[in-house]
Amino acid sequence: MNAFLTRCLALGLAVAAPFATAAAQEKKELKIAVLNDKSSVFSDAGGVASVKAAQLAADDFGGEINGMKIVVLGPDHQNKTDIGAQLARQMYDQEGVEAIFDIGNSAISLAVQDIARERGKIVVHSGSATADVFGKACSPTGAMWLYDTYSLAKGLAKSVVEQGGKTWFFITADYAFGHAMQNEVTRVVEANGGKVLGSVRHPVGTMDFSSFLMQAQASGADIVAFANASGDTVTSLKQAREFQVGEGNQKLGVLIFYLTSVHALGPRATQGVQYLSGYYWDRDDASREFAKRFEAVTGKKPDHTHAAVYSSVRHYLQAVKDSRSTDGLTVMRKMKETPVNDFFANGARIRADGRLMNDMLLVEVKAPEEVKNGEWDLLKIRQVVKADDIMRPLSEGGCKHLDPAPEAAEKK
């Protein structure tokens, strides 16, 4: 009887397989979504412009793959975790979305990562920074494409301490990214002989940093470090200049920054600020070519978040084409097997925990008199920082969801 049932089951699977393949081939649309903030404090660094970057990647494939029309959606999570999680469930479960990109908020990234893992769906984080998405909260169908708290801290804080910034005071955004950023930088500062004198947390989107800045100034710290991002960094930097915080022996430390923020503040307010960037539009011919295409549809130069969205979407679409599948695990395996081949991270590979091993650029804001080539000629590249020097080792991340297939491939 058991043998008979086994033969029936095998026959059933054999008959069902062609129908499953046919159903996959009949799919008319490949839906992807750029889920980020389009109406709040982080909209300038990602926003609608990231959706247009994703559409440029889709255009590179002629708008279709394997007979499926590529549809790019752009939902707005409004910088709210509950809304972001609700939208992710809706897109995966009801709208047939196969992959979500960008996000731009660490708390929302962690929530979406859980949702995607449960469903075996792709999620690629670009504007979010918490290293937990390829650590204890990792997923075999998740990837981190741009910066993260560990690499930002190691790449920047170590050099600042070595240059004499021994004591630190943090002005920190009160959510997952800010907390993680402060913790990572504290670890690097203390490991290199520095000391943290204090910190204060602020709500996301606050417009008055005066009390926080006065506490930082009164601390006497060498470095007043902003563990915030986008609009919060712009507001805090602008008010720091007004209150003369960060002048004289006390310096400002910007832990995560954007070209769009430099442009908004102007080079006079930001000159000399150094930060790590994954891309700069004027680096080489390929970077300038993408910037030209991007500016034609947005009216501005791309920031590193926009470039990362383009790169991650393009790599995903190529993996769908090559694997002839939309299954999350199958596509992510193909993404990990294949080096990224574009201006953003040429030759870089996605590690087994989902971390793209991309080099970063140490950039510095030009002084006003150095700006020669238009309003976006704002940065100079000081150094290429190698991924192997700043990325957290795979063995230290605590990832419990490693896909054994890419792991085995790495050992061969």
Side-chain angles (χ1 to χ4, degrees):
M1 187 66 175
N2 287 341
F4 174 74
L5 288 175
T6 300
R7 286 195 297 272
C8 288
L9 179 59
L11 178 62
L13 290 174
V15 171
F19 286 102
T21 302
Q25 291 173 344
E26 288 172 4
K27 192 174 217 178
K28 299 300 183 184
E29 294 181 331
L30 173 62
K31 290 185 179 180
I32 64 174
V34 178
L35 175 64
N36 61 16
D37 177 18
K38 297 178 178 68
S39 55
S40 184
V41 67
F42 298 144
S43 58
D44 192 40
V48 174
S50 284
V51 182
K52 293 184 177 181
Q55 187 61 55
L56 288 175
D59 293 345
D60 288 344
F61 290 83
E64 69 170 23
I65 287 178
N66 300 339
M68 297 178 290
K69 179 184 177 183
I70 304 169
V71 178
V72 181
L73 305 179
D76 179 7
H77 61 48
Q78 302 173 46
N79 221 33
K80 296 178 181 177
T81 305
D82 57 342
I83 292 176
Q86 179 183 347
L87 285 169
R89 292 189 189 95
Q90 177 184 324
M91 287 185 292
Y92 285 140
D93 296 343
Q94 300 173 28
E95 298 186 33
V97 167
E98 300 292 347
I100 291 176
F101 298 85
D102 195 9
I103 301 182
N105 176 300
S106 291
I108 300 174
S109 270
L110 292 170
V112 175
Q113 182 98 324
D114 288 341
I115 294 166
R117 188 191 309 110
E118 291 169 0
R119 290 154 176 79
K121 297 288 188 177
I122 296 281
V123 57
V124 182
H125 314 269
S126 294
S128 308
T130 175
D132 284 347
V133 300
F134 62 99
K136 62 184 181 181
C138 72
S139 167
T141 55
M144 171 70 84
W145 214 259
L146 181 55
Y147 43 57
D148 68 81
T149 49
Y150 184 100
S151 60
L152 288 171
K154 189 167 184 181
L156 191 63
K158 184 174 183 291
S159 63
V160 171
V161 173
E162 289 174 348
Q163 293 171 23
K166 298 293 187 181
T167 56
W168 291 58
F169 187 97
F170 289 94
I171 296 178
T172 301
D174 192 11
Y175 71 111
F177 158 72
H179 304 167
M181 191 78 255
Q182 180 180 328
N183 291 338
E184 292 287 2
V185 173
T186 296
R187 181 183 58 80
V188 175
V189 168
E190 292 178 347
N192 287 275
K195 183 178 181 181
V196 174
L197 301 184
S199 65
V200 64
R201 292 178 176 177
H202 68 82
V204 173
T206 188
M207 298 307 295
D208 184 5
F209 283 84
S210 57
S211 63
F212 310 132
L213 290 165
M214 292 300 96
Q215 291 180 61
Q217 190 176 53
S219 73
D222 298 329
I223 305 295
V224 176
F226 296 114
N228 52 22
S230 196
D232 284 334
T233 309
V234 169
T235 304
S236 51
L237 269 176
K238 188 181 296 182
Q239 293 182 16
R241 296 303 190 195
E242 292 172 0
F243 287 97
Q244 298 181 314
V245 177
E247 297 184 4
N249 293 328
Q250 194 174 61
K251 303 297 182 184
L252 301 179
V254 181
L255 302 176
I256 186 169
F257 212 35
Y258 307 92
L259 179 66
T260 50
S261 300
V262 177
H263 185 262
L265 285 165
R268 190 167 301 280
T270 55
Q271 61 181 306
V273 170
Q274 293 187 349
Y275 65 98
L276 289 181
S277 180
Y279 160 87
Y280 181 51
W281 71 268
D282 201 23
R283 180 186 184 186
D284 53 31
D285 288 343
S287 299
R288 285 187 284 272
E289 178 60 27
F290 171 70
K292 182 179 179 180
R293 293 178 62 198
F294 182 88
E295 190 172 18
V297 297
T298 65
K300 62 182 181 181
K301 297 294 187 189
D303 210 334
H304 54 170
T305 46
H306 305 130
V309 169
Y310 169 88
S311 174
S312 58
V313 170
R314 189 179 187 281
H315 193 65
Y316 165 79
L317 294 175
Q318 187 65 53
V320 170
K321 181 178 180 180
D322 292 345
S323 65
R324 303 195 64 81
S325 174
T326 58
D327 173 72
L329 187 55
T330 300
V331 174
M332 183 55 74
R333 283 174 174 170
K334 179 59 69 174
M335 291 173 70
K336 289 177 178 178
E337 290 170 6
T338 310
V340 178
N341 184 28
D342 61 24
F343 62 86
F344 179 81
N346 193 25
R349 288 184 177 272
I350 306 171
R351 213 166 53 180
D353 58 357
R355 187 61 172 99
L356 177 68
M357 296 297 286
N358 56 307
D359 296 340
M360 300 286 285
L361 306 174
L362 178 63
V363 298
E364 181 178 316
V365 180
K366 292 181 177 180
E369 61 272 17
E370 295 177 296
V371 176
K372 307 290 186 184
N373 189 26
E375 61 178 314
W376 293 96
D377 177 29
L378 296 169
L379 306 178
K380 46 191 173 185
I381 298 172
R382 287 298 191 191
Q383 181 183 351
V384 177
V385 183
K386 294 298 183 182
D388 288 340
D389 293 334
I390 58 174
M391 298 298 182
R392 182 177 62 199
L394 181 64
S395 60
E396 296 179 12
C399 178
K400 303 298 184 184
H401 298 279
L402 291 175
D403 178 14
E407 271 289 274
E410 282 185 5
K411 293 176 182 178
K412 288 182 180 178

